[in-house]
């Protein structure tokens, strides 16, 4: 499979695929935890880095291959191959980032993404031009497409898991190795013969030499590396919010019903397990809410639920809702995870204030106590965790 390839460029191609996968999936995992206004930017960034990682890996692999002298790359098929990759990655991520993803939706998105990756490869191969003819072994074509679909499915499952730290690293490594495996499997099935033994490849249209392609690939490698490094930088805005929240005051009051909490959940994962990042800020004791005469603060012990509302949130104290300047992702990161749980993409509830839970359709509904009880939807994926936190999960001996 690697016979005649430059081993250093092969290793670089795999590393590029892994870095692109880490950056793309790291951005994609945040889509479901941000307000709707930020979805487009995160989706575009995730699609861009995944597409650039896959496409750059492909052409670094092409530079590593022992191609005949005088081989050039037709510009139009090369550009089309990148557009195919970007479109199918973006569409696949969009399908699984809106609503509750079903197995059918994830599987169909994986098939679309895998076929897109394979199409990108073979359209890019069609862009090779020179004094030779090219053939592909059908059985290896089928195998390479199957590997691409499997890689796509694994990547989408990693995105839906919203893992970070070691889990995200392992997912990115698996994705990068799988995408590289698809490319080199397809290359193993490629046969190049002199033009005398078959059809002649004419140089129709604008063409680029290997040296020109090397410059483009080098630039894209820098973009991927820069994106990867930026993804490791902690968000200073959240750190500032945490400092403001803890400085606003503290409360030692124990919320009623705190005994319902079964165990402390693990800290939320961070890139590379938090290496090089500041310590996690302690949970806030109060949340800022806007009133007609200014900003007030509500004790965390009095909060029943937090609901996403565009860039901001609505905080319910058991009597009424008031607007909070934080996004729901900021609230989730700074509220005490022992007392609060994200039960839906747009809702956080205070577990000690849950008065009723019942199944409704594919999901469930929680009723929270207070002078004005209100109900909050629970997504299907969160039902088991809610039951565990409420002590309703069946215990095994």
């Amino acid at each position: 499979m690697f016979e005649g390839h430059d081993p250093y460029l092969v290793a670089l191609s795999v590393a590029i695929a892994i870095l692109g996968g880490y950056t793309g999936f790291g951005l994609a995992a945040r889509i479901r935890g941000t307000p709707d206004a930020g979805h487009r930017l995160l989706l575009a960034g995730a699609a861009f880095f995944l597409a650039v990682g896959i496409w750059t890996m492909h052409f670094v692999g092409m530079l590593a291959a022992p191609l005949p002298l005088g081989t050039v790359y037709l510009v139009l098929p090369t550009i089309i191959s990148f557009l195919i990759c970007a479109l199918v990655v973006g569409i696949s991520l969009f399908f699984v980032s809106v609503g509750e993803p079903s197995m059918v939706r994830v599987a169909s998105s994986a098939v679309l993404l895998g076929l897109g990756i394979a199409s990108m490869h073979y359209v890019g191969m069609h862009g090779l031009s020179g004094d030779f003819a090219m053939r592909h072994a059908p059985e290896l074509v089928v195998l390479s497409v199957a590997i691409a679909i499997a890689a796509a499915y694994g990547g989408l499952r990693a995105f839906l898991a919203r893992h970070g730290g070691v889990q995200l690293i392992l997912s990115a490594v698996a994705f990068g190795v799988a995408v590289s495996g698809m490319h080199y499997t397809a290359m193993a099935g490629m046969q190049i013969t002199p033009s005398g033994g078959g059809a002649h490849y004419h140089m129709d249209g604008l063409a680029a030499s290997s040296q020109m392609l090397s410059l483009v690939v080098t630039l894209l490698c820098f973009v991927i590396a820069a994106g990867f490094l930026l993804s490791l930088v902690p968000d200073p805005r959240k750190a500032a919010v945490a400092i403001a929240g803890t400085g606003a005051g503290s409360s030692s009051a124990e919320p009623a019903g705190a005994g319902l909490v079964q165990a402390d959940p693990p800290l939320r994962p961070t890139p590379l397990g938090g290496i090089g990042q500041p310590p996690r800020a302690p949970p806030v004791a109060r949340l800022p809410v806007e009133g007609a005469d200014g900003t007030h603060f509500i004790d965390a012990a009095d909060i029943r639920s937090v609901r996403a509302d565009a860039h901001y949130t609505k905080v319910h104290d058991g009597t009424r809702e008031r607007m909070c300047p934080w996004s729901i992702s900021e609230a989730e990161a700074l509220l005490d995870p022992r007392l609060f749980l994200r039960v839906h993409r747009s809702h956080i509830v205070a577990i000690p204030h849950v008065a009723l839970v019942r199944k409704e359709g594919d999901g469930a509904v929680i009723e929270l106590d207070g002078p004005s009880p209100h109900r909050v939807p629970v997504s299907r994926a969160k039902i088991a965790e809610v039951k565990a936190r409420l002590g309703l999960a069946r215990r095994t001996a």
Side-chain angles (χ1 to χ4, degrees):
M1 183 180 295
F2 299 104
E3 183 179 358
H5 283 70
D6 185 322
Y8 297 104
L9 288 178
V10 170
L12 177 62
S13 69
V14 177
I16 288 297
I18 293 173
L19 293 182
Y22 183 95
T23 308
F25 288 136
L27 290 173
R30 302 178 189 176
I31 293 176
R32 302 176 67 83
T34 56
D36 292 340
H39 285 185
R40 295 184 182 89
L41 185 60
L42 285 175
L43 180 63
F48 173 79
F49 279 105
L50 282 173
V52 169
I54 296 169
W55 189 85
T56 305
M57 176 271 137
H58 167 78
F59 280 98
V60 171
M62 293 305 301
L63 293 175
L67 298 176
L69 293 176
T71 300
V72 295
Y73 298 83
L74 298 179
V75 173
L76 182 59
T78 301
I79 293 176
I80 291 176
S81 69
F82 177 76
L83 292 178
I84 291 174
C85 188
L87 284 174
V88 296
V89 168
I91 293 172
S92 299
L93 290 180
F94 174 77
F95 280 162
V96 296
S97 65
V98 293
E100 291 300 322
S102 63
M103 181 59 69
V104 174
R105 180 182 292 185
V106 175
S108 58
S109 298
V111 171
L112 173 64
L113 180 54
L115 292 177
I117 294 173
S119 299
M120 177 277 300
H121 174 88
Y122 287 105
V123 170
M125 296 300 295
H126 182 71
L128 291 177
S129 184
D131 191 18
F132 55 83
M134 185 187 306
R135 295 184 179 86
H136 300 280
E139 63 277 6
L140 289 181
V141 171
V142 173
L143 178 59
S144 66
V145 172
I147 294 175
I149 293 174
Y153 182 79
L156 293 177
R157 296 306 305 181
F159 155 54
L160 293 174
R162 298 180 60 198
H163 284 155
V166 175
Q167 294 91 341
L168 181 57
I169 295 173
L170 294 177
S171 299
V173 170
F175 179 78
V177 171
V179 170
S180 303
M182 175 270 157
H183 171 84
Y184 291 109
T185 298
M187 291 296 290
M190 182 184 71
Q191 298 176 350
I192 292 181
T193 57
S195 59
H200 183 73
Y201 273 60
H202 297 280
M203 298 183 192
D204 298 326
L206 185 64
S209 65
S210 297
Q211 290 76 14
M212 180 63 68
L213 181 66
S214 299
L215 293 176
V216 174
V217 168
T218 300
L219 176 62
L220 293 179
C221 289
F222 173 79
V223 169
I224 294 173
F228 170 73
L229 294 175
L230 288 175
S231 70
L232 304 181
V233 177
D235 188 350
R237 185 166 63 96
K238 289 188 177 182
V241 172
I243 294 173
T246 54
S250 61
S251 172
S252 59
E254 176 88 9
L260 288 174
V261 180
Q262 299 301 308
D264 293 354
L267 294 178
R268 292 179 178 85
T270 54
L272 294 182
I275 296 175
Q277 298 200 29
R280 186 179 186 272
V284 296
R286 301 194 295 177
L287 260 65
V289 292
E290 301 297 335
D293 55 346
T295 301
H296 300 260
F297 293 89
I298 178 173
D299 288 339
D302 296 328
I303 297 172
R304 265 59 173 182
S305 67
V306 180
R307 176 173 63 88
D309 186 18
H311 289 285
Y312 310 104
T313 54
K314 295 290 184 68
V315 177
H316 203 297
D317 61 0
T319 302
R320 57 175 175 157
E321 274 190 334
R322 285 180 284 179
M323 190 188 79
C324 173
W326 294 356
S327 70
I328 193 166
S329 58
E330 290 170 337
E332 182 186 20
L334 297 173
L335 288 171
D336 192 338
R338 296 170 298 180
L339 305 177
F340 294 89
L341 177 65
R342 183 82 165 264
V343 297
H344 187 277
R345 62 185 300 181
S346 302
H347 295 276
I348 298 172
V349 300
I351 292 296
H353 290 288
V354 174
L356 177 146
V357 58
R358 76 159 185 260
K359 187 166 177 58
E360 188 170 284
D362 290 338
V365 172
I366 280 177
E367 182 175 294
L368 298 157
D369 62 16
S372 299
H374 65 288
R375 296 181 178 180
V376 171
V378 179
S379 66
R380 181 176 57 183
K382 286 290 185 177
I383 293 177
E385 187 174 358
V386 168
K387 287 184 176 180
R389 294 289 295 274
L390 293 173
L392 300 178
R394 181 176 300 173
R395 299 177 179 273
T396 57

